[in-house]
Amino acid sequence: MTAEAVAPLAIPTDSVLLSAGKTGMLSRTGTGALAVHRWTRLADGVTTDLPAGSYWGSAGTDRVVSQKGAVFTLTDMSGAGGPVVIDTSAFNTAATPYVVDRVVGESLLMTATVGGAEEFHLVSLGENGQVTDRKLALPGGSRVWFSYSSGPDSLAVSYTEPTPNGYRLMRISTVDVATGAITASHDFRPEANHTAIAVTPTHLTWVLNPYGTDPQLQVLSRATGSPVSTTPLIRRETNGLTVHHVGDWVTLVKPGGGTATSPRPYTPLTARSLNGGAEVRLLDHAGSVANSPDGSLLVLGGTLAHGEGLYRIAPDPVTGKPTTTLVRSSDRPTGLAVVKQTLPPTGTFDFDRAGGKLTAGWTLSRFNASTTLTLTHTASGRTVNLDQLPRDGVTTHFLTWDGLYKDGLPAFNGAYTWTMTATPANGIGPAVERKGSFTLTRAPRPHDFDDNGSPDVLARDRNGNLSSYDIRQVWSLDAYESPYMLPIGGGWNAYDRILAAGDLGGTRNGDTVARDKSGVLWLYAGKSGHKAPFAPRTRIGGGWGTYNQLAAGSDVTGDGRPDLLATDKTGVLWLYRATGNSKAPFTTRKRIGGGWGIYNQLTATGNLAGGPAGDLVARDRAGVLWLYLGKGDGTFAARTRIGGGWNTYDEIIGIGDVDADGRNDLLASNGRMTDDTVLHLYRGTGQWKTPLAPRQSDSVEQRFYLGNLF
């Protein structure tokens, strides 16, 4: 394939060819009052916008017809001849209006409305310069439909004619343009596809049974009226199909494949020989086709090899086989290409600093493409698929990941691979693909055991198996949907108290302490990873059986490390200040004060109420919950009443920030001895007078069996 010229084609991408002559072509952009018509010279590509108005092209000629009232001017755009003016005002009146259907050579094929019925008329100038109006001699009572032409010497019309039994028979007839006489007529099925029809001086082609089970393309010889070629077509794909002749070949294409949003069998422009043989693919798509006077075709379309532009389809002078030549390029690729891209990250990606979002995207060379971004967590194999489907006119695709897997579980930290793919929706050309990898990281959270930056709750079942559940995911589930469970291990029935303690050992990961039934306190140091959240236990010390309440996870001393609080059986509250050393995680205890025996549950909440340090909530035996605002020196401000009715809960847990609003929340549960565990979430307000919002409504409470919660 070679180009006849290299200057770019200077017409809009959505232009449609109306006609082509020896020296130029007529195109249109838009429709109706917004239509813009242009004439482009083939020799140098110079394009001229025509004044606003209605225009028609004469197939196979350089004639362009314009209208002013009832006067039509046929302009020879090559400049070789003068204008031909056809004044139809003598018969084109309000009572009998004439409308141009097409232009054939220097004749106007018009539909005239006479007595309420439409007729086909050929209107032209006679040798004496007088306007000649020739009515096509269709059978009486016929109703006109469509017309077809490939040049100044070819014309066919379709219509229905009445039958004696009251039915209407559809016909297609060829016309002698010089005389207006009907030269041959053929039966034409009522369900005929009126776009897939071609008439040349030698052939008449249309689709038989277009919407049936066995559609066929039939080519008749006009000389004999007999079929020259009949070839099968794909069922249910003939609607919108167009056909043209080039030498002894017929071409087929469904225009618009370049902007289609799904693959189509007839998107490529192909040719079939009237003498049999293999089909030849000429273009990967075509938007519009026009007949040239030399028997070739001009096509606005594209190929993957040479891109978008104006192509000529002509028979090879030796073999007669159609060949494709790029006449003028539009300087745009036919295959999908990336114009601009913002790829996913590489290296370490801090999800917190990115605002909890990962955004990728690109601008593509055309709108009819879909984009998919697949993220895969290397260790777990969990994947995330983000996609954008084609949208008319939208070439920029942005894909934003909110850090959640499909089931609502916040994604694990760690290594990820990613693949971003743009796929042409019309099936033309290969997909565009980019690949890479990154490591996702977040700041550690005290209650995060599966390393995904979201607070978890520890649950122990009746058999002593400990697991963790992500509360952010739990709260996103519909009722009775099963959450992701991270199994931690068995044997936890040995403990009568288990506490999520925050980072006691300086490892950046949340730790857990557990007291066994002999009063020994054990440390389970947290470690990163989504499979095994704890290192093997280490002994903190004995004698912890003296305490009836333990609370861990609040930094009450203001040194950035979570501390542990305990009440003994006499009601004294003790502070164990964290050291940051996993081998000796606490300093010697310090007495805070007495009178704490009135409470049957203590919960360290972290900074719940916007004070200078971590806080504590305590429930008395009457079910009233009290807030102790941490002062940052290991002591608390005077208690503030939060509310009553809290004795309905088995556990009250300082869960951390569930909804990622920057404020710690409170989780309460009941149903320990039933088959269901009902969770209630109290969102933190950051206000010490009213530190908790009303609990989340019953309609979104999550019900499933968890057992004991910590």
Side-chain angles (χ1 to χ4, degrees):
M1 181 184 297
T2 59
E4 294 178 357
V6 294
L9 183 64
I11 61 175
T13 59
D14 57 346
S15 298
V16 176
L17 285 183
L18 300 181
S19 65
K22 184 177 180 180
T23 68
M25 63 183 191
L26 178 67
S27 63
R28 184 194 67 226
T29 306
T31 57
L34 299 178
V36 177
H37 293 81
R38 298 175 176 88
W39 180 261
T40 301
R41 292 202 304 247
L42 297 177
D44 54 14
V46 172
T47 296
T48 302
D49 287 8
L50 303 182
S54 298
Y55 294 89
W56 297 263
S58 175
T61 78
D62 288 319
R63 293 283 185 182
V64 171
V65 177
S66 59
Q67 178 182 7
K68 187 174 182 180
V71 178
F72 297 85
T73 301
L74 285 71
T75 302
D76 187 345
M77 301 301 291
S78 71
V84 175
V85 179
I86 302 177
D87 185 350
T88 65
S89 58
F91 49 84
N92 185 2
T93 66
T96 57
Y98 279 56
V99 178
V100 173
D101 191 76
R102 71 173 56 247
V103 183
V104 188
E106 294 186 0
S107 297
L108 306 179
L109 178 67
M110 307 184 79
T111 55
T113 304
V114 180
E118 287 188 340
E119 303 170 346
F120 275 132
H121 288 241
L122 275 171
V123 179
S124 61
L125 285 184
E127 293 182 359
N128 58 1
Q130 298 298 311
V131 176
T132 301
D133 180 10
R134 294 160 292 162
K135 176 185 173 183
L136 298 194
L138 303 180
S142 294
R143 296 176 184 172
V144 302
W145 281 66
F146 300 101
S147 63
Y148 319 91
S149 176
S150 62
D153 300 321
S154 65
L155 176 63
V157 295
S158 60
Y159 55 93
T160 60
E161 63 173 281
T163 61
N165 58 11
Y167 292 99
R168 303 193 69 85
L169 180 66
M170 180 160 278
R171 306 280 282 170
I172 186 168
S173 297
T174 53
V175 180
D176 185 332
V177 179
T179 65
I182 301 299
T183 59
S185 297
H186 308 274
D187 288 337
F188 198 48
R189 296 289 296 274
E191 69 274 18
N193 180 355
H194 289 273
T195 63
I197 296 172
V199 58
T200 72
T202 57
H203 296 97
L204 178 63
T205 302
W206 73 85
V207 176
L208 299 174
N209 196 24
Y211 306 113
T213 58
D214 58 343
Q216 295 176 318
L217 184 67
Q218 173 181 263
V219 182
L220 292 184
S221 166
R222 290 185 62 180
T224 65
S226 301
V228 174
S229 172
T230 304
T231 56
L233 297 174
I234 299 173
R235 183 184 178 189
R236 298 176 181 171
E237 293 293 338
T238 61
N239 188 36
L241 186 69
T242 63
V243 297
H244 295 80
H245 284 264
V246 54
D248 290 331
W249 295 68
V250 61
T251 65
L252 300 88
V253 72
K254 187 176 287 189
T259 56
T261 54
S262 62
R264 300 172 178 172
Y266 293 115
T267 286
L269 177 66
T270 60
R272 296 180 180 181
S273 173
L274 301 183
N275 303 315
E279 184 175 272
V280 177
R281 182 166 178 152
L282 300 171
L283 293 172
D284 290 309
H285 81 92
S288 54
V289 183
N291 293 279
S292 293
D294 61 358
S296 66
L297 303 176
L298 282 182
V299 186
L300 286 177
T303 66
L304 293 173
H306 298 277
E308 298 296 288
L310 178 67
Y311 289 83
R312 187 182 297 279
I313 310 296
D316 181 271
V318 177
T319 65
K321 183 178 179 180
T323 58
T324 304
T325 303
L326 177 62
V327 178
R328 199 168 298 279
S329 172
S330 297
D331 280 348
R332 292 183 297 108
T334 294
L336 188 62
V338 176
V339 177
K340 183 181 178 182
Q341 62 186 17
T342 302
L343 298 178
T346 58
T348 299
F349 180 65
D350 190 319
F351 209 61
D352 294 327
R353 290 185 179 180
K357 293 181 179 180
L358 184 154
T359 300
W362 44 27
T363 300
L364 301 171
S365 59
R366 62 176 191 248
F367 81 89
N368 55 332
S370 60
T371 294
T372 301
L373 174 61
T374 300
L375 306 164
T376 303
H377 183 240
T378 303
S380 68
R382 275 190 169 238
T383 61
V384 176
N385 288 297
L386 308 173
D387 56 64
Q388 179 172 323
L389 297 177
R391 288 185 290 174
D392 191 19
V394 177
T395 57
T396 298
H397 293 194
F398 282 114
L399 300 173
T400 300
W401 183 39
D402 59 3
L404 301 177
Y405 295 130
K406 184 178 180 180
D407 60 359
L409 178 70
F412 302 130
N413 291 327
Y416 282 78
T417 59
W418 58 264
T419 301
M420 193 158 74
T421 306
T423 304
N426 58 6
I428 299 176
V432 178
E433 186 176 86
R434 304 285 189 268
K435 292 188 175 184
S437 62
F438 63 90
T439 299
L440 182 67
T441 185
R442 304 178 182 87
R445 307 302 200 267
H447 258 272
D448 176 20
F449 302 115
D450 55 5
D451 195 27
N452 66 351
S454 177
D456 305 312
V457 64
L458 295 173
R460 181 179 61 189
D461 65 20
R462 295 185 180 93
N463 298 319
N465 298 308
L466 190 69
S467 304
S468 78
Y469 294 87
D470 189 287
I471 292 301
R472 194 170 295 169
Q473 183 210 21
V474 165
W475 234 259
S476 72
L477 299 176
D478 292 331
Y480 304 106
E481 283 188 312
S482 297
Y484 168 76
M485 179 188 73
L486 172 64
I488 295 173
W492 289 77
N493 271 344
Y495 304 113
D496 62 9
R497 197 73 173 105
I498 300 172
L499 301 169
D503 179 17
L504 298 174
T507 63
R508 287 176 46 89
N509 302 300
D511 305 324
T512 293
V513 295
R515 183 182 67 184
D516 66 23
K517 295 174 183 178
S518 67
V520 176
L521 192 67
W522 300 87
L523 171 66
Y524 285 86
K527 62 179 185 178
S528 61
H530 71 285
K531 290 186 177 180
F534 302 128
R537 70 178 187 175
T538 58
R539 191 177 191 273
I540 295 175
W544 290 78
T546 188
Y547 302 117
N548 55 13
Q549 296 293 329
L550 297 174
S554 282
D555 173 21
V556 299
T557 59
D559 61 0
R561 292 188 291 269
D563 305 306
L564 187 146
L565 297 158
T567 58
D568 63 22
K569 296 174 183 177
T570 66
V572 175
L573 180 66
W574 300 89
L575 167 65
Y576 285 86
R577 184 170 183 165
T579 66
N581 181 358
S582 61
K583 294 182 179 180
F586 300 116
T587 61
T588 303
R589 70 180 186 174
K590 178 181 178 181
R591 188 180 191 275
I592 294 178
W596 290 76
I598 62 173
Y599 301 118
N600 59 16
Q601 182 153 5
L602 297 182
T603 300
T605 63
N607 192 329
L608 180 67
D615 305 323
L616 189 69
V617 295
R619 182 183 64 190
D620 65 23
R621 301 185 189 281
V624 176
L625 192 68
W626 301 87
L627 168 68
Y628 284 87
L629 191 67
K631 297 165 64 176
D633 60 359
T635 64
F636 300 96
R639 70 180 188 175
T640 300
R641 189 179 192 272
I642 294 177
W646 287 78
N647 51 2
T648 187
Y649 300 126
D650 301 318
E651 300 288 348
I652 301 173
I653 303 166
I655 195 62
D657 184 5
V658 172
D659 54 1
D661 64 353
R663 295 188 291 267
N664 286 334
D665 307 309
L666 203 64
L667 187 70
S669 71
N670 53 24
R672 178 187 297 178
M673 302 308 295
T674 68
D675 289 337
D676 291 334
T677 301
V678 181
L679 303 181
H680 306 271
L681 182 64
Y682 291 84
R683 302 183 187 277
T685 66
Q687 305 297 320
W688 69 270
K689 290 185 178 180
T690 54
L692 300 174
R695 77 178 188 183
Q696 197 163 333
S697 64
D698 290 343
S699 63
V700 291
E701 290 172 357
Q702 305 302 316
R703 290 172 168 81
F704 46 88
Y705 178 72
L706 294 177
N708 303 116
L709 301 183
F710 310 101

